[in-house]
């Protein structure tokens, strides 16, 4: 790097910036994503169509949106394992209210309202009752799913009104981009601004880095954590809404096949430290895209759905190893 | 284990009672014991079937798989690591052991192969976590996917029992002196590792390693070796659970055990073992497993919609953690 940065001309500043960026986590992830895309490009001819990528972005939007909330919460050192069950809560609530009121908007509002409600409960239990968030939300993973099972008796709830506008929102495009993806990108951009440009965002990093220090320096730790639990459950509710649009039914098993694990895997792959305080939302987006692209590519190749699991698992190990390797290099460079 | 400030009285019985009261009121184990006892009394009153030898046998047999895995998981969690891959182990060990039994008709060989898979996966887990320095939650979540994939790669359908070895069926369904074998395995594993954890050097090492790895290293404790033992132990016990499960199901199914890891880890955490390591209780794990099993059993006996099982499991976890949190705060204020 020192070799690159002798002169002061624009070119070398640019080269220096580029060189520095290439050593970041995000660059490593972007290279990994490109490698995955190129690999499938070579192995599977059907991935050479543009359509495949737009489809991928549409399908991955719920994961992206849920990952925003999970990322913010994990940056502050807390967890929410219940997001998979939240999808079903939102989905069933939405369609039940559709059928009960014959109003699409009331259904959407009711469905989205489940997020802040569940999030507030988590926030109260963790910040007021001082309960461990991982175990608490493991409990609500079961409790929420169970309540949905009891309420629906494990039968899907059909939208009797057939609100086509509702379902169209999933399948329509804005220009070439799928609407759900546009929503996801807007939410990511807003959250990125909040995380990097506001005091609230800096406080989240401070809490995750050292909670006691943050509290002593006057940061309202409990209030911020409470808000983050609400944000996390709400982003899961938005994901649940999008998945409900996709099928038009209230599905009791929505998100039950390890949605929370896939999202957390993407977030961790993106470089968010499990202990909090470290990582960026850009990394999360890349992490989710890498896992999504891998799954889609393998699916297109006709690989057994469950063999996909093996590959996804291996990629996770590879990526996390990359992070720890990267950390070691950074330490080395500083010396 | 017990706080020395609790024993104030002089006589033996008085001392015992104060200690018992302290245990009941001031520990997570006590809280769990109280909840389990309350539910048992309630179910005994509500259902004539509940407190019969037969039903208790069924209840304990059903929880034996989770319990045996949870014993290993308790030690691993105390040492500061975790293993999420135990759910997929139920499937992979099951299909491999059944196919070995079918082709060789040699029960000992089948069991050895099953336990060997446990050792191998445990070693891989510890290699990824300890050598590559990857957080064990992530490493074993990845292994959860990989081992599940291996089970599906091994067979596309379930493997039926064609060897008809009678002893094999006995493992999960037989009785010894009137007690079901799974319960005997469960109690034996529990007792052995209760003593290992509380009475041996290894047990003290596990606590030390989990509480403060740096201090443990400085004190000359082989930190990596202790953690590796924890990983291998958990995996082998998960494989043992899988063999019992296989015998009970009488077929090797590649999709079995989804969510098993959450149940086992949930029970350990519910039992009062800390996620951050260094602190935990084998008795707590035992009571937590018993609590979850009792709830499932009770819901069936009282003829409640079985969907409630999932909801009640979740609510009980939340209530237990809530009680524990309140207890900790109360002690903190004292």
């Amino acid at each position: 790097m020192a070799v690159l940065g002798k002169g002061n001309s624009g070119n070398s500043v640019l080269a220096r910036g580029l060189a520095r960026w290439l050593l970041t986590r995000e660059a490593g992830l972007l290279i990994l994503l490109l490698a995955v895309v190129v690999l499938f490009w070579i192995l599977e001819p059907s991935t050479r169509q543009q359509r495949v990528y737009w489809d991928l972005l549409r399908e991955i939007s719920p994961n992206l949106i849920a990952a925003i909330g999970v990322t913010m919460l994990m940056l502050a050192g807390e967890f929410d394992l219940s997001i998979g069950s939240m999808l079903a809560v939102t989905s069933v609530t939405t369609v039940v209210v559709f059928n009960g009121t014959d109003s699409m908007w009331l259904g959407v509002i009711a469905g989205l309202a489940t997020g802040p409600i569940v999030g507030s409960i988590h926030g109260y239990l963790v910040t007021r009752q001082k309960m461990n968030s991982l175990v608490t939300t493991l409990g609500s993973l079961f409790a929420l799913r169970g309540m949905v099972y009891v309420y629906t008796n494990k039968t899907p709830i059909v939208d009797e009104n057939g609100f086509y506008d509702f379902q169209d929102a999933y399948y329509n495009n804005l220009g070439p981009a799928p609407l759900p993806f546009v929503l996801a990108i807007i939410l990511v951009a807003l959250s990125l601004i909040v995380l990097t440009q506001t005091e609230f965002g800096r406080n989240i990093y401070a809490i995750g880095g050292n909670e006691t220090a943050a509290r002593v320096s006057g940061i309202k730790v409990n209030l911020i954590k409470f808000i983050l639990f609400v944000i996390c459950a709400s982003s899961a509710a938005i994901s649940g809404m999008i998945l409900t649009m996709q099928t038009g039914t209230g599905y009791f098993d929505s998100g039950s096949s390890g949605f929370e694990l896939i999202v957390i895997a993407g977030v961790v792959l993106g470089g968010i430290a499990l202990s909090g305080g470290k990582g960026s939302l850009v990394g999360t987006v890349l992490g989710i895209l890498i896992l999504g692209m891998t799954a889609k590519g393998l699916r297109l190749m006709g690989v057994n759905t469950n063999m996909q699991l093996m590959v996804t698992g291996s990629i996770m190990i590879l990526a996390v190893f990359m992070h720890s390797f990267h950390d070691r290099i950074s330490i080395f460079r500083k010396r | 284990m017990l706080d020395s400030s609790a024993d104030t009285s002089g006589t033996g019985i008085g001392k015992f009672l104060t200690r018992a009261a302290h245990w009941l009121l001031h520990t997570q184990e006590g809280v769990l014991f109280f909840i389990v006892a309350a539910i048992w009394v309630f179910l005994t009153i509500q259902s004539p079937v509940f407190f019969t030898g037969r039903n208790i046998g069924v209840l304990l047999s059903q929880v034996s798989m989770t319990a045996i895995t949870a014993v290993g998981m308790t030690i691993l969690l105390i040492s500061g690591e975790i293993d999420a891959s135990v759910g997929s182990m139920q499937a992979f060990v099951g299909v491999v052991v059944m196919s070995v039994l079918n082709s060789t008709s040699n029960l000992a060989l089948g069991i050895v192969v099953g336990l060997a898979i446990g050792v191998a996966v445990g070693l891989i887990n510890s290699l990824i976590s300890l050598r590559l320095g990857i957080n064990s939650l992530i490493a074993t979540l990845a292994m959860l996917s990989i081992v599940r994939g291996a089970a599906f790669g091994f067979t596309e359908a379930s493997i039926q029992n064609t060897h008809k070895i009678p002893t094999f069926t006995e493992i999960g369904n037989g009785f010894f002196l009137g007690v079901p074998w799974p319960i005997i395995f469960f109690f034996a594993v529990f007792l052995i590792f209760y003593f290992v954890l509380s009475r041996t050097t290894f047990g003290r090492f596990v606590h030390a390693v989990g509480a403060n790895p740096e201090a443990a290293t400085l004190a000359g404790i082989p930190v990596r070796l202790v953690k590796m033992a924890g990983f291998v132990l958990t995996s082998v016990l998960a494989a043992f659970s899988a063999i019992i499960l296989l015998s009970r199901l009488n077929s090797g199914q590649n999709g079995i055990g989804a969510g098993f890891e959450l149940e086992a880890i949930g029970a350990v955490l519910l039992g009062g073992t800390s996620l951050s390591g260094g602190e935990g209780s084998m008795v707590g794990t035992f009571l937590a497993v018993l609590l979850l099993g009792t709830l499932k059993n009770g819901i069936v006996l009282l003829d409640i919609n079985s969907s409630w099982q999932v909801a009640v499991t979740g609510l009980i976890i939340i209530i237990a953690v809530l009680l524990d949190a309140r207890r900790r705060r109360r002690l903190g204020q004292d």
Side-chain angles (χ1 to χ4, degrees), chain A residues 70-79 203-209 211 221 224-225 228 272-278:
Chain A
V70 173
T71 301
M72 292 172 101
L73 200 49
M74 276 175 68
L75 282 175
E78 300 288 347
F79 282 93
N203 288 347
I204 293 174
Y205 279 96
I207 293 171
E211 189 174 328
V221 175
I224 289 175
K225 282 193 173 176
L228 290 177
I272 309 291
L274 284 171
S275 46
K278 239 168 58 179

Side-chain angles (χ1 to χ4, degrees), chain B residues 18 54 101 104 120 128 133 140 159 178 181 188 208 212 216 222 230 249 251 321:
Chain B
T18 5
R54 194 184 151 81
L101 289 178
T104 65
I128 301 174
T140 56
I159 299 179
W181 273 113
N212 191 336
L249 294 171
S251 74
V321 181

Side-chain angles (χ1 to χ4, degrees), chain A residues 129 134 139 274 306 309-310 313, chain B residues 135 145-146 152 275 314 325 329:
Chain A
Q129 298 293 337
L134 192 63
L274 284 171
N306 300 290
L309 290 172
M310 287 184 84
Chain B
N135 179 299
S145 298
I146 293 174
F152 277 96
L275 261 179
R329 267 186 305 159

Side-chain angles (χ1 to χ4, degrees), chain A residues 268-319:
Chain A
V268 172
L269 207 160
I272 309 291
L274 284 171
S275 46
K278 239 168 58 179
S280 87
L281 193 57
V282 178
T284 292
V285 172
L286 290 168
I288 296 280
L289 285 176
I290 290 170
L291 288 183
M293 182 62 217
T294 312
K296 184 153 187 85
L298 291 171
R299 206 156 57 230
L300 288 171
M301 285 176 72
V303 172
N304 181 330
T305 332
N306 300 290
M307 290 299 284
Q308 293 173 19
L309 290 172
M310 287 184 84
V311 179
T312 311
S314 308
I315 289 191
M316 260 170 76
I317 294 181
L318 183 76

Side-chain angles (χ1 to χ4, degrees), chain A residues 106-258:
Chain A
L106 279 180
V108 171
I109 291 168
L112 291 178
T114 58
I117 293 171
V118 173
S120 305
I121 297 172
H122 289 157
Y124 168 78
L125 292 175
V126 173
T127 60
R128 290 278 150 213
Q129 298 293 337
K130 304 288 168 216
M131 288 163 65
N132 176 302
S133 65
L134 192 63
V135 196
T136 305
T137 56
L138 177 71
S140 60
L141 177 152
F142 289 117
L144 294 173
R145 176 74 61 193
M147 286 179 200
V148 169
Y149 280 175
V150 171
Y151 186 78
T152 61
N153 228 341
K154 295 198 189 179
T155 37
I157 298 179
V158 180
D159 173 12
E160 288 157 5
N161 295 291
F163 289 121
Y164 290 112
D165 286 350
F166 182 69
Q167 293 188 41
D168 282 349
Y170 179 80
Y171 293 99
N172 278 354
N173 291 339
L174 186 76
L179 267 185
F181 182 65
V182 173
L183 177 64
I185 285 301
I186 292 173
L187 291 175
V188 167
L190 284 176
S191 312
L192 202 58
I193 292 170
V194 168
L195 277 174
T196 57
Q197 307 298 323
T198 68
E199 196 185 331
F200 180 72
R202 282 192 295 278
N203 288 347
I204 293 174
Y205 279 96
I207 293 171
N210 187 337
E211 189 174 328
T212 314
R215 183 168 286 129
V216 171
S217 60
I219 295 173
K220 287 178 178 150
V221 175
N222 281 343
L223 181 67
I224 289 175
K225 282 193 173 176
F226 186 92
I227 295 172
L228 290 177
F229 277 104
V230 171
I231 291 177
C232 186
S234 303
S235 64
I238 298 173
S239 301
M241 189 60 69
I242 293 173
L243 287 168
T244 313
M245 289 170 179
Q246 186 184 1
T247 57
T249 46
Y251 188 43
F252 59 92
D253 249 348
S254 186
S256 69
S257 49

Side-chain angles (χ1 to χ4, degrees), chain A residues 43-75:
Chain A
L43 292 175
E44 174 58 34
S46 68
T47 64
R48 290 168 205 171
Q49 306 162 41
Q50 208 189 20
R51 188 177 50 79
V52 168
Y53 297 95
W54 290 122
D55 281 351
L56 170 70
L57 294 178
R58 193 192 310 276
E59 291 157 12
I60 214 72
S61 305
N63 298 38
L64 268 180
I65 294 172
I68 297 172
V70 173
T71 301
M72 292 172 101
L73 200 49
M74 276 175 68
L75 282 175

